Amino acid sequence: MKRIDYGIDAPNLFRGFITGSLISFSLLVMSRALFEPNLITSIVDIPLAVMALYLGFMGCLMYCYSKFVKLIDAQRLLGVRNWTGNEQVLDIGCGRGLFLINAAQRLFTGKAIGIDIWSATDQSDNSQAQTLDNLALAKVTAKCEVQTADMRNLPFTNNHFDVITSGWVIHNLEKLEDRKEVIREIVRTLKPGGMILVSDIVNQTEYVVLFKEFGLINITLHRNPIREAFLKAVSFGSFGPFGISATKPLKKIAQQVGY
């Protein structure tokens, strides 16, 4: 029976970890098999063993997060909102539909729209066809729409959505100016009183600063500090999953968003 599959995040990095681990382990085995144990081989074997274990661990960590933990985190973050079922929802960088499907399952008369540029570098086998398959498997096709669009220039009118979500996406933009433009577009298209629910792996402080800059209120970080500290340590600061929620005030904030 076919199941919903959200793929692997950063598949090239994942393959690099697994390949590096296998190569390191192979070199360690060859060293033990071809040379008599001595001081030189011991000095070489130790870093090979450490490298094989570390890279293998990181590969397994990426797989577990992509396949299991990320799904739980998405459900918890979306659970922050008291859903009515009639919301208009936008999922930015929907990928293969994790947030899109979870949001749609909370809707009755509402609608969820997912946008993406379908980069297979950021998520394995990422395509509109894969997302539509997942929507069908989740039986939420009638409540969803999928479009190709750049998150820096959203093709929607001002004050359009009740909820805007995004999962592990905005950090893929390397320039601060681009990430800031995404937040500007989110605030522009969000209705007064609407909620933003964003999950990401880096730039936690930056999100808080930008949300405040664009006039959002009720800014709350949703995180596990112990888990976050551990993951940042083993990834040298490049991986620390967290969620953040905020609300657009009922009073129009025209100056910050430019409308």
Side-chain angles (χ1 to χ4, degrees):
M1 181 178 178
K2 192 174 182 180
R3 296 184 177 181
I4 297 173
D5 184 1
Y6 295 118
I8 301 289
D9 291 290
N12 291 336
L13 180 60
F14 170 71
R15 284 190 287 267
F17 280 137
I18 298 302
T19 301
S21 178
L22 292 175
I23 290 174
S24 298
F25 181 73
S26 297
L27 291 174
L28 177 61
V29 172
M30 290 173 60
S31 174
R32 290 298 180 116
L34 297 177
F35 303 102
E36 291 293 330
N38 55 55
L39 180 61
I40 295 177
T41 58
S42 296
I43 293 174
V44 172
D45 288 350
I46 291 174
L48 285 175
V50 171
M51 188 67 69
L53 289 172
Y54 173 75
L55 294 177
F57 169 77
M58 292 301 294
C60 291
L61 184 66
M62 286 189 67
Y63 182 87
C64 289
Y65 251 87
S66 294
K67 293 293 186 179
F68 307 109
V69 182
K70 185 179 176 182
L71 279 62
I72 297 172
D73 286 349
Q75 291 177 352
R76 287 177 176 171
L77 183 59
L78 290 178
V80 169
R81 177 178 174 83
N82 293 321
W83 295 79
T84 64
N86 62 355
E87 289 90 350
Q88 296 297 308
V89 182
L90 174 65
D91 183 30
I92 292 177
C94 64
R96 294 172 64 162
L98 173 58
F99 274 74
L100 183 64
I101 288 172
N102 274 276
Q105 289 172 336
R106 291 168 162 81
L107 301 178
F108 299 106
T109 59
K111 183 177 182 180
I113 299 176
I115 66 157
D116 207 304
I117 59 171
W118 316 111
S119 169
T121 301
D122 299 324
Q123 190 174 57
S124 63
D125 299 323
N126 188 23
S127 69
Q128 191 167 346
Q130 290 281 4
T131 305
L132 293 174
D133 283 346
N134 280 342
L135 294 178
L137 289 170
K139 299 180 180 179
V140 295
T141 301
K143 295 185 284 187
C144 295
E145 180 183 330
V146 177
Q147 300 181 17
T148 299
D150 190 323
M151 58 184 165
R152 293 167 293 185
N153 185 23
L154 298 176
F156 306 105
T157 58
N158 297 345
N159 307 316
H160 189 88
F161 297 100
D162 299 289
V163 181
I164 297 181
T165 66
S166 180
W168 292 27
V169 173
I170 301 175
H171 76 274
N172 289 315
L173 296 173
E174 296 182 1
K175 296 181 180 179
L176 171 59
E177 294 81 3
D178 288 333
R179 297 193 296 272
K180 186 173 182 178
E181 191 60 34
V182 174
I183 304 302
R184 184 192 305 275
E185 282 289 273
I186 289 175
V187 176
R188 177 185 69 80
T189 55
L190 188 68
K191 292 179 181 179
M195 177 174 280
I196 298 173
L197 297 167
V198 174
S199 176
D200 219 324
I201 61 174
V202 291
N203 303 325
Q204 184 179 115
T205 302
E206 179 183 296
Y207 277 110
V208 175
V209 171
L210 289 177
F211 281 12
K212 289 180 178 178
E213 180 179 339
F214 286 110
L216 298 176
I217 59 175
N218 301 326
I219 302 169
T220 305
L221 283 169
H222 307 275
R223 49 194 286 249
N224 182 325
I226 296 176
R227 183 181 71 176
E228 184 181 326
F230 170 74
L231 293 175
K232 282 185 176 181
V234 299
S235 65
F236 302 100
S238 63
F239 184 66
F242 66 94
I244 184 170
S245 62
T247 304
K248 183 175 179 178
L250 292 174
K251 183 178 179 181
K252 193 174 182 181
I253 46 179
Q255 182 177 357
Q256 292 94 328
V257 297
Y259 66 94

